[in-house]
Amino acid sequence: MRLFIAFDLPDAQKARVEALVEALKARVDARWTRAEGRHVTLVFLGETPTDAVPALTRAIDAVAARHRPHTLHVAGAGTFGASSHPRVLWLGLGGDLDTARALQADLRATLAVKDEHDGWAPHLTLARSKHPKGDAALVEAARALERERFASFSVDEVVLFESRGGRYGVVHTAKLSG
């Protein structure tokens, strides 16, 4: 099973993001993420044996019990990759990021998952360039998105997802209760 831990946006936030994405699709030729696949990844676990899932869900529950719900909001936008030809367009997050980072670090440490990057950058991936060398049009899309304002939302659970060919299924949900 290909697994990761994430949290979802509330439906109202997802609808707002989807409306912005639909407006950008007419101007930017990219591979856009599907609305149901827009989540904030906390920890990517990768290929995991099915028989490891019960212990994994117990560990996730234990971490969730140590952390309190917190408030975030979609804030800012940007790109990953070379600034002249980026490969990924994303929306960022603001709000109680210290609490979100503590949760992410605790999950990573408890599950013994190495940090593949230089720290966790909470974001929603919106699109990937169709061009192997990236696409400057993603920079313009990020500039347009930076001006948008979003309402705050509560993060009160984390979800263990399975990824199957770009489709995501919920394996387990753990409530934050610390």
Side-chain angles (χ1 to χ4, degrees):
M1 302 175 73
R2 187 173 168 89
L3 302 176
F4 64 94
I5 304 165
F7 63 83
D8 262 332
L9 294 179
D11 290 342
Q13 300 291 336
K14 283 183 181 181
R16 175 87 191 288
V17 170
E18 186 60 21
L20 293 170
V21 164
E22 286 304 315
L24 287 171
K25 281 181 179 180
R27 299 187 324 222
V28 180
D29 185 28
R31 291 185 324 232
W32 294 90
T33 59
R34 290 187 312 278
E36 65 272 10
R38 291 193 194 109
H39 52 262
V40 179
T41 301
L42 294 162
V43 177
F44 179 73
L45 300 168
E47 287 300 325
T48 306
T50 303
D51 61 355
V53 172
L56 181 59
T57 59
R58 285 191 299 275
I60 294 168
D61 286 342
V63 171
R66 294 191 291 264
H67 294 271
R68 64 180 169 79
H70 50 282
T71 302
L72 298 175
H73 58 272
V74 176
T79 58
F80 293 135
S83 59
S84 59
H85 286 75
R87 297 181 48 86
V88 175
L89 172 66
W90 52 263
L91 281 172
L93 296 175
D96 191 358
L97 292 176
D98 288 342
T99 301
R101 283 189 177 98
L103 169 63
Q104 188 272 345
D106 194 1
L107 283 165
R108 198 178 70 242
T110 299
L111 301 173
V113 176
K114 273 184 68 171
D115 188 1
E116 296 177 7
H117 305 289
D118 231 1
W120 178 61
H123 67 280
L124 295 165
T125 299
L126 299 182
R128 290 178 176 80
S129 172
K130 286 183 176 179
H131 310 288
K133 294 185 179 181
D135 187 348
L138 295 177
V139 173
E140 293 305 316
R143 286 188 186 125
L145 290 169
E146 283 178 343
R147 295 186 290 271
E148 298 295 328
R149 298 292 171 249
F150 290 79
S152 295
F153 60 92
S154 179
V155 176
D156 58 3
E157 64 184 23
V158 294
V159 180
L160 177 63
F161 284 101
E162 180 182 11
S163 173
R164 269 190 243 139
R167 302 269 185 222
Y168 306 106
V170 173
V171 175
H172 180 73
T173 300
K175 293 286 185 189
L176 301 180
S177 60

